Amino acid sequence: MASAAYDQIEIEDMVFHPETQLFTYPCPCGDRFEVFIDDLFDGETRAVCPSCSLEIDVIFEQEDLAEYYEEAGVQPPEPLAIAT
Amino acid sequence: MSRLYCMGSNGQGQLGLSHREDIIALQEVPLPESLNKIKKLNCGGNHTILLDSNGSIYGTGDNNESQLGLPEKVLAQFNKLQCNVKVKDIACSWTSTLILTEGNELLIMGKGFKGELGLGSGVVSTENKWVSVMKFKQGNTVKLYGSLQNFVVVDNSLYGSIIYGWGANTKCQLLSPKSRKVEKPTVLWESSNTTIQEVAMGKDFFAFIDDQRNLVKLTGNVPQSFDLKNRTKKDILGIHCMWTSIHLQTANQIQSYGNNRYNQLFDNTKFDRDNVIKFVAGSEHGILVTKREDFFEVWCWGWAEHGNCGILNGPTEVQTSIHINDQSNISSPPNMIFKCKKEPFVYGGCATTWIWV
């Protein structure tokens, strides 16, 4: 079983980097938690820090990703189902 | 001339020790000869800034976002930062540096995607130079505070206090209703009869204390267990926030509220001293100072994965050799790391611990 996350972070508080397609958020160790947008699309909710054991849960709905895919100028792996 | 000691997270040279290893025992920091007495130390995510009593500033660590304004991308030793004016105060966000000049002007350098540069719509970088954010009246007492995605500035005058803030606002840490960011200095609060003395900043919640030690304002995503209603008495000797917890010093105890996954909440039952004189909070660890007869002790507790709370029951003197972090102390109970005769200054950064005397 995966260990409990250190914290829960809403996707709007993260920074999206269109060039690497990564969402990042500061880790208390000085490095950054990272997760790829496509992994979030596929249902991943954990972002991990490359420098320590801490992880965060990313709070989002799949449809939240639309604006970031648009910003990066790429298509999601499958069409996004936008709630109406 | 001050002597500076540190330990903890050091992946970008932020400890200024000429190496980039995380260390678990205090080491003395080599300081430039021109540096006078240390007046303040402040850390961003991976950079560290020193202000000395001459009004000069020095920096080490990550400069990839031009948060130090020097030619090198990464520095592992303190270097004097280029600044044509004398500096009175400093504060850091995750990747930027804010300074107050002797002319009471605020200048910023670095990068920030959440409005924390305070330079208006869409400005996320200053391109390696100081840029003016705002100016205060001559004679006013201005104090700077920084957190990862926010700055708060207190402007005290004979006519009262005005608090300005900018940066992320998704948890109403600045203003209600929430917004993604506040990109220019904005008045958060003002009063003609209350003087704000201290601001404690968590990741996305802030606490404001007046000169009578009342907690007068609390904003943002405050840890649920903390209740302001029980805290209006004048019993707060000190208040500091880790990113996800809030801590009060009250008559010889530290009372903690919030995230306790790594022993961040101070366990008074594991601490037998009764004379805490001050404490500070780093990102997810705390540092306190006690006085015993004629000497002082420094203790650390909380998340310690980067060596920042020292070796459990380890040495209490500064080490001359490098003790690379062996991950032997991850989640630290109160742990004594230093003893000295003169009252030490302490500061906690992002998994870094600093002491100067």
Side-chain angles (χ1 to χ4, degrees):
Chain A
M1 201 183 103
S3 62
Y6 147 74
D7 201 3
Q8 285 79 42
I9 302 295
E10 287 180 55
I11 197 160
E12 65 174 351
D13 286 318
M14 301 183 80
V15 172
F16 180 60
H17 305 267
E19 65 286 2
T20 54
Q21 304 201 17
L22 278 170
F23 282 94
T24 65
Y25 188 81
C27 174
C29 78
D31 210 331
R32 292 173 171 87
F33 298 107
E34 305 176 336
V35 62
F36 282 108
I37 187 169
D38 281 356
D39 290 339
L40 293 178
F41 185 92
D42 291 339
E44 180 60 73
T45 58
R46 280 289 165 90
V48 299
C49 174
S51 299
C52 70
S53 69
L54 299 194
E55 300 181 353
I56 54 170
D57 276 330
V58 182
I59 311 292
F60 71 105
E61 301 291 337
Q62 199 185 50
E63 66 197 62
D64 297 336
L65 302 174
E67 67 171 286
Y68 301 102
Y69 275 116
E70 195 175 316
E71 189 185 342
V74 297
Q75 295 295 317
E78 294 162 39
L80 275 160
I82 305 292
T84 50
Chain B
M1 187 75 186
S2 306
R3 303 190 75 162
L4 177 65
Y5 315 114
C6 65
M7 61 186 176
S9 186
N10 194 27
Q12 300 289 323
Q14 59 264 52
L15 296 184
L17 293 169
S18 313
H19 64 74
R20 286 167 65 177
E21 303 283 353
D22 288 5
I23 58 165
I24 193 166
L26 288 171
Q27 228 188 301
E28 180 158 8
V29 182
L31 295 172
E33 269 184 28
S34 60
L35 188 137
N36 208 298
K37 207 168 167 226
I38 296 172
K39 197 173 149 192
K40 188 173 176 182
L41 187 151
N42 218 258
C43 294
N46 284 300
H47 69 294
T48 307
I49 306 288
L50 280 175
L51 169 65
D52 80 358
S53 53
N54 288 339
S56 298
I57 47 175
Y58 296 80
T60 184
D62 186 15
N63 188 37
N64 276 293
E65 319 297 349
S66 297
Q67 55 270 63
L68 303 175
L70 293 168
E72 299 86 352
K73 288 288 181 198
V74 179
L75 290 113
Q77 261 194 300
F78 280 99
N79 274 255
K80 194 167 184 176
L81 303 191
Q82 300 301 316
C83 183
N84 298 327
V85 284
K86 283 198 173 185
V87 177
K88 292 199 295 191
D89 199 3
I90 54 170
C92 297
S93 74
W94 184 252
T95 49
S96 76
T97 304
L98 182 71
I99 60 174
L100 177 74
T101 71
E102 62 178 349
N104 264 358
E105 185 175 18
L106 277 183
L107 305 176
I108 195 156
M109 184 152 58
K111 205 169 200 176
F113 293 99
K114 303 291 183 183
E116 61 268 43
L117 299 183
L119 298 175
S121 182
V123 181
V124 297
S125 169
T126 65
E127 307 289 352
N128 218 27
K129 60 179 188 295
W130 295 110
V131 178
S132 179
V133 180
M134 66 182 293
K135 211 167 173 178
F136 300 92
K137 280 203 185 101
Q138 285 291 350
N140 287 9
T141 304
V142 179
K143 283 167 91 174
L144 316 187
Y145 301 89
S147 177
L148 29 168
Q149 301 177 332
N150 290 94
F151 285 108
V152 168
V153 175
V154 179
D155 177 18
N156 283 332
S157 69
L158 292 174
Y159 309 103
S161 272
I162 304 178
I163 302 174
Y164 298 85
W166 61 97
N169 191 41
T170 55
K171 301 292 183 293
C172 300
Q173 56 265 59
L174 300 172
L175 299 163
S176 289
K178 72 170 241 184
S179 54
R180 276 208 174 167
K181 42 192 168 180
V182 173
E183 295 182 278
K184 282 204 156 175
T186 302
V187 174
L188 308 184
W189 186 87
E190 58 189 313
S191 170
S192 56
N193 50 28
T194 302
T195 303
I196 296 296
Q197 193 179 46
E198 192 70 37
V199 180
M201 297 176 79
K203 175 187 61 157
D204 49 17
F205 59 93
F206 311 143
F208 303 82
I209 305 288
D210 72 8
D211 57 358
Q212 306 298 309
R213 301 191 190 285
N214 288 306
L215 181 47
V216 294
K217 185 176 165 69
L218 198 56
T219 61
N221 188 25
V222 180
Q224 282 174 358
S225 54
F226 187 71
D227 186 358
L228 180 60
K229 289 194 193 82
N230 298 328
R231 283 276 147 242
T232 48
K233 288 172 286 180
K234 297 179 181 181
D235 61 352
I236 301 170
L237 301 176
I239 181 165
H240 292 284
C241 298
M242 298 181 196
W243 282 11
T244 55
S245 54
I246 186 163
H247 307 261
L248 306 177
Q249 181 192 346
T250 63
N252 296 323
Q253 271 208 333
I254 306 282
Q255 297 182 7
S256 303
Y257 308 84
N259 188 347
N260 196 31
R261 198 165 147 64
Y262 296 94
N263 278 333
Q264 296 104 311
L265 303 190
F266 192 78
D267 188 347
N268 288 289
T269 66
K270 290 189 178 142
F271 187 69
D272 63 358
R273 304 294 194 261
D274 59 2
N275 40 8
V276 174
I277 57 169
K278 61 186 171 189
F279 83 106
V280 294
S283 56
E284 288 295 353
H285 73 298
I287 305 158
L288 68 78
V289 180
T290 68
K291 189 167 192 299
R292 297 192 90 196
E293 294 158 4
D294 60 344
F295 61 93
F296 296 87
E297 297 171 348
V298 180
W299 296 66
C300 287
W301 80 96
W303 183 57
E305 185 171 338
H306 289 266
N308 47 301
C309 293
I311 300 163
L312 268 185
N313 307 310
T316 55
E317 314 83 41
V318 175
Q319 301 295 297
T320 49
S321 59
I322 299 174
H323 290 248
I324 291 176
N325 181 28
D326 57 5
Q327 304 252 326
S328 60
N329 187 12
I330 302 282
S331 190
S332 187
N335 184 38
M336 200 206 303
I337 57 159
F338 188 63
K339 272 188 191 181
C340 60
K341 290 257 174 177
K342 196 176 157 193
E343 183 174 339
F345 296 90
V346 288
Y347 178 82
C350 290
T352 59
T353 296
W354 301 84
I355 300 173
W356 66 99
V357 288

